[in-house]
């Protein structure tokens, strides 16, 4: 029998909000910014070229795989340098990107479900991304945030899950990790000894050769309902 749940670790991108629309917008916003402030950069690095540059930098610098912000900053600097642009524009260009990156559109059920869960459990946001919960406006619902960049390693490394549990003052066995990604969230949390809730909003099939998650839901609201039903005696 699973241990009672006393704390939650929660993924962000594609769990609370869809990331693909954000990814498309940040490319357009950054390109438009270059068109206004550094036209030669925009001409030399249209959106497909910037996308290819990012992939090249990721291949060249595997040590930065956990650091989305630094990879983005280096891409901007490279594009400016190669196009003869002013490198002092790198900071403002990144600021324009980052503002758009934090303009999220929540899944319809996400905010209400998050509020319900946060009213009864301490939550740590656990992310490989670079969202800013203060800017987004939901930081008050979390005990804290653990990012791959700040920790130095990302999901599915068990160490980042264990660090989140330490911040929650909860054992892995009594912590539920909630997320959408099969490898990063579910397999990673399983390897760290946490309980797992897979948020499967896209009707994906679970791979038959992998250990199944403890629970599966199509929405975060359904996860909140399950916590209400099965952990009704839990007080925050």
């Amino acid at each position: 029998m699973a241990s009672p749940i006393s704390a939650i670790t929660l993924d962000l991108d594609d769990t609370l909000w869809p990331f693909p629309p954000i990814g498309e917008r940040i490319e357009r916003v950054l390109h438009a910014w270059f068109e206004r402030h550094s036209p030669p950069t925009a001409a030399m690095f249209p959106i497909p070229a910037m996308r290819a540059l990012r992939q090249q930098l990721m291949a060249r610098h595997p040590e930065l795989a956990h650091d989305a912000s630094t990879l983005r900053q280096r891409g901007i600097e490279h594009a400016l340098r190669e196009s003869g642009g002013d490198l002092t524009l790198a900071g403002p260009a990144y600021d324009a990107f980052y503002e758009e990156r934090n303009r999220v559109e929540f899944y319809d059920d996400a905010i209400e479900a998050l509020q319900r869960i946060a009213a009864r459990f301490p939550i740590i946001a656990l992310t490989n991304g670079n969202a800013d919960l203060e800017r987004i406006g939901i930081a008050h619902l979390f005990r804290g945030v653990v990012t791959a960049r700040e920790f130095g390693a990302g999901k599915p490394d068990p160490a980042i899950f264990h660090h989140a549990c330490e911040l929650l003052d909860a054992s892995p066995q009594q912590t539920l990790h909630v997320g959408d990604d099969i490898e990063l969230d579910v397999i990673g949390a399983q390897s760290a000894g946490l309980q797992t809730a897979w948020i499967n909003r896209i009707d994906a099939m679970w791979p038959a050769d992998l250990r199944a998650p403890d629970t599966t839901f199509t929405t975060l609201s359904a996860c909140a309902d399950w916590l209400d039903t099965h952990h009704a005696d839990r007080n925050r």
Side-chain angles (χ1 to χ4, degrees):
M1 182 177 295
S3 300
I5 293 168
S6 63
I8 307 288
T9 57
L10 181 69
D11 176 56
L12 299 176
D13 291 326
D14 293 319
T15 295
L16 294 183
W17 54 74
F19 183 76
I22 299 171
E24 293 174 5
R25 290 200 317 269
I26 57 180
E27 290 181 331
R28 294 196 304 268
V29 165
L30 185 58
H31 184 69
W33 192 94
F34 280 140
E35 285 182 319
R36 290 192 301 273
H37 300 282
S38 187
T41 307
M44 182 176 286
F45 289 94
I47 289 173
M50 282 297 288
R51 199 177 295 151
L53 173 60
R54 181 170 173 79
Q55 293 300 316
Q56 292 166 13
L57 289 173
M58 291 174 67
R60 254 183 249 158
H61 299 283
E63 74 280 5
L64 294 177
H66 64 282
D67 193 344
S69 294
T70 296
L71 281 169
R72 182 71 62 176
Q73 290 164 344
R74 289 196 181 183
I76 290 170
E77 291 167 0
H78 180 94
L80 286 167
R81 188 181 301 110
E82 289 295 306
S83 63
D86 182 356
L87 282 177
T88 65
L89 294 175
Y94 181 82
D95 290 343
F97 147 79
Y98 197 57
E99 180 178 355
E100 190 65 24
R101 193 267 180 265
N102 287 295
R103 191 167 67 83
V104 306
E105 295 181 7
F106 291 93
Y107 290 113
D108 289 343
D109 67 293
I111 288 293
E112 185 268 345
L114 178 61
Q115 290 170 336
R116 285 167 55 198
I117 296 170
R120 296 177 56 244
F121 295 90
I123 309 175
I124 288 281
L126 188 54
T127 178
N128 285 5
N130 54 359
D132 185 329
L133 299 189
E134 289 287 353
R135 293 191 189 209
I136 293 169
I138 57 173
H140 63 286
L141 297 173
F142 292 82
R143 175 72 60 85
V145 181
V146 176
T147 69
R149 181 186 193 189
E150 293 173 350
F151 182 69
K155 299 177 293 183
D157 191 325
I160 194 170
F161 291 94
H162 291 158
H163 178 64
C165 291
E166 290 171 5
L167 294 178
L168 288 163
D169 194 25
S171 70
Q173 294 77 17
Q174 292 185 308
T175 302
L176 177 71
H177 181 68
V178 182
D180 72 289
D181 191 277
I182 291 173
E183 179 183 358
L184 301 183
D185 290 309
V186 180
I187 303 304
Q190 287 175 342
S191 67
L194 281 71
Q195 298 185 52
T196 53
W198 183 35
I199 305 300
N200 179 18
R201 296 180 181 274
I202 60 174
D203 197 28
M205 294 294 295
W206 184 263
D209 59 333
L210 296 179
R211 174 185 159 194
D214 294 302
T215 52
T216 299
F217 307 103
T218 58
T219 64
L220 190 63
S221 183
C223 181
D225 291 343
W226 178 82
L227 287 167
D228 285 344
T229 300
H230 292 82
H231 300 272
D233 60 342
R234 166 68 195 176
N235 294 314
R236 188 174 180 181

